[in-house]
Amino acid sequence: MHRMFGRGKPKEQVNLTDVIANTDSRGESIEKKIAKLNGQLKQFKDKMKKMRPGPQQNMVKRQALQILKQKKMYENQLMNLQQQSFNMEQTNFATQSLKDTQLQVDAMKQGVKQMKKEFKKINIDKIEDLQDDLEDLMEDHNEIQEVLGRSYGCPDVDEDELEAEFDALGDMEFDDELLLDDTPAAPIAEPSGPLPADDGGTAVDEFGLPAVPAS
């Protein structure tokens, strides 16, 4: 059957973007024609200003009206093409948005699938046990530090007595001037008169030691 009549050609897939570009190109061509007609209308209008009323001016006016009719026709065509291009652009935008939405949905599905796969590798009970072990270890660590920080050989002191003694200190200031007195010592008066002597006639001081001769 196919050998006798042949196979039908597959339909070419229409690219909406190309159709929009082709429509816009046609619109640009019509815009150039309208601009050309506007130039001709200006020439006829300037020519009529220089002419006197009469058959010659009426002939020029008829030519101008004919060009104006062509301009109106092109303007209607341009308006239709612009509307068609706008509609196709809206359709193209909606189609692309749907494609993007589908891609986003597929990506989200893939993400959920991957998350489920990763969650299977996690055991919440093991995580809770791990947290409990860490908490126990920290408590043991703090207890060890407390034991190592104990004081040895210190007498037991009543806390109330310490607070009472601290309050009794009042506003005392322990300045270096009070702790370290820089006042020079008073000079020691030398004994007047001759120093006493021992049995051998050697002069001795008040402690019975040989006296140092005065300089």
Side-chain angles (χ1 to χ4, degrees):
M1 191 70 179
H2 292 296
R3 293 178 182 178
M4 182 178 298
F5 297 101
R7 291 178 178 270
K9 293 183 179 180
K11 293 183 179 180
E12 296 181 359
Q13 189 174 3
V14 179
N15 189 335
L16 195 55
T17 303
D18 295 339
V19 177
I20 294 173
N22 185 31
T23 305
D24 290 341
S25 177
R26 291 170 58 192
E28 292 174 359
S29 177
I30 293 177
E31 286 178 345
K32 292 179 181 179
K33 292 179 180 181
I34 293 174
K36 183 178 180 180
L37 293 176
N38 284 331
Q40 292 178 2
L41 287 173
K42 186 177 184 302
Q43 290 177 1
F44 283 122
K45 189 174 182 180
D46 294 340
K47 188 176 181 180
M48 289 177 62
K49 289 180 180 179
K50 299 176 182 178
M51 298 175 66
R52 294 180 180 180
Q56 191 74 19
Q57 188 186 52
N58 292 336
M59 184 182 66
V60 174
K61 184 177 181 180
R62 285 195 299 270
Q63 292 176 350
L65 292 176
Q66 184 65 29
I67 292 177
L68 184 59
K69 289 181 181 179
Q70 294 179 10
K71 177 186 173 184
K72 292 294 183 182
M73 181 186 65
Y74 283 133
E75 287 177 346
N76 289 332
Q77 292 178 0
L78 179 61
M79 186 181 299
N80 291 332
L81 288 175
Q82 289 176 342
Q83 185 62 42
Q84 293 172 13
S85 178
F86 175 78
N87 293 337
M88 288 187 291
E89 286 178 351
Q90 293 298 313
T91 303
N92 191 28
F93 177 79
T95 303
Q96 190 62 42
S97 297
L98 290 174
K99 291 180 180 179
D100 294 340
T101 302
Q102 186 61 41
L103 291 176
Q104 294 173 4
V105 172
D106 293 341
M108 293 174 65
K109 289 181 179 179
Q110 185 65 26
V112 171
K113 182 179 179 181
Q114 187 66 26
M115 288 180 64
K116 290 181 178 179
K117 182 179 179 181
E118 295 299 329
F119 268 116
K120 290 180 180 180
K121 302 177 182 179
I122 300 175
N123 190 332
I124 188 65
D125 295 332
K126 291 184 179 180
I127 296 178
E128 291 180 351
D129 294 340
L130 178 62
Q131 287 294 102
D132 293 338
D133 292 341
L134 288 174
E135 185 177 358
D136 293 339
L137 289 173
M138 291 303 298
E139 291 180 357
D140 294 340
H141 172 75
N142 294 334
E143 186 176 355
I144 292 173
Q145 296 299 319
E146 183 180 354
V147 171
L148 293 176
R150 291 177 182 175
S151 300
Y152 299 97
C154 295
D156 294 335
V157 180
D158 189 358
E159 294 293 336
D160 295 336
E161 293 181 0
L162 285 177
E163 290 183 7
E165 183 176 353
F166 179 77
D167 294 337
L169 294 177
D171 297 330
M172 293 180 60
E173 297 181 358
F174 299 95
D175 296 334
D176 293 341
E177 294 181 357
L178 296 177
L179 298 176
L180 300 175
D181 191 359
D182 294 336
T183 304
I188 301 174
E190 296 183 358
S192 60
L195 295 174
D198 56 4
D199 297 339
T202 302
V204 296
D205 56 11
E206 57 186 3
F207 299 104
L209 299 175
V212 178
S215 57

